[in-house]
Amino acid sequence: MMFGDIKKILYVSDLDQGSRPAFRAAISLRGHYPGSQVTYLHVIEPLSTTTRSLLNTVMKEEELDERLHTGVKALGVKIRERIQRFCEDELEEHEASDLKAIESRIEEGVPWRKILEVSDEIDADVIVMGARKHSSLGQALIGSTATKTLTHSRRPVLIVPLHDG
């Protein structure tokens, strides 16, 4: 597959162990398109109604919302640290010097829908994401978020196989 001129790359991360190959692919793609921007997206699934109701039995709604907000802010710091650590470990000095070309975002919603929404919002030229194989009776299937993103996207999607650990 040939890409045209790529200016905006949406990289989607689940923050799990073993997701570096997909981030490496996004950064590598950026290296082939000077001046391109990477948006590092992590999507948090909203609390279910049942979970929220259970939590409300031990804390007030305002306290729950405040804790969630604090957690999202802390996650943003963690993502920036992860980007910095990756760049230090994996990239050549001239590649790592431009961290400003990597924006991080944390969104809440149904992951595949939010991925498509953000890709439209930033007008991404390509979506890069990893997928773990889920085995069932010996059949390997890519994850449902990757599958749904791939089948519903109007943009090119690069799926990078991931291995746990």
Side-chain angles (χ1 to χ4, degrees):
M1 176 173 117
M2 297 296 287
F3 290 110
D5 189 29
I6 293 179
K7 291 182 177 29
K8 295 182 182 173
I9 301 163
L10 177 60
Y11 166 67
V12 182
S13 175
D14 61 6
L15 299 179
D16 283 347
Q17 290 286 41
S19 61
R20 270 193 176 193
F23 190 38
R24 194 175 296 121
I27 296 300
S28 175
L29 192 58
R30 180 183 171 271
H32 291 284
Y33 296 92
S36 60
Q37 181 98 19
V38 174
T39 299
Y40 187 122
L41 174 66
H42 176 69
V43 180
I44 300 171
E45 293 191 59
L47 293 178
S48 70
T49 305
T50 303
T51 302
R52 192 170 269 280
S53 294
L54 284 171
L55 288 171
N56 280 333
T57 64
V58 294
M59 69 179 74
K60 293 180 180 175
E61 186 80 21
E62 300 79 29
E63 183 183 358
L64 176 59
D65 289 341
E66 179 57 35
R67 286 184 182 219
L68 289 172
H69 178 73
T70 300
V72 168
K73 282 177 67 174
L75 195 55
V77 170
K78 179 181 176 182
I79 288 173
R80 287 307 304 171
E81 289 170 354
R82 180 175 275 201
I83 293 169
Q84 180 73 42
R85 199 166 43 251
F86 171 85
C87 290
E88 289 169 359
D89 293 348
E90 301 280 339
L91 303 181
E92 299 294 324
E93 199 172 310
H94 69 281
E95 294 174 308
S97 63
D98 194 11
L99 285 176
K100 291 181 181 129
I102 304 172
E103 174 195 357
S104 59
R105 286 180 62 161
I106 300 171
E107 300 285 339
E108 185 178 341
V110 176
W112 71 270
R113 290 182 193 274
K114 190 54 76 169
I115 292 164
L116 297 180
E117 183 182 307
V118 171
S119 73
D120 286 343
E121 181 186 319
I122 70 169
D123 195 23
D125 296 300
V126 63
I127 300 168
V128 178
M129 62 191 305
R132 287 176 178 74
K133 292 180 181 178
H134 299 285
S135 293
S136 173
L137 302 173
Q139 291 183 314
L141 304 170
I142 63 172
S144 63
T145 298
T147 301
K148 288 178 181 173
T149 302
L150 188 60
T151 56
H152 291 91
S153 179
R154 295 184 314 261
R155 302 170 188 281
V157 180
L158 174 60
I159 304 286
V160 179
L162 301 178
H163 306 285
D164 292 323

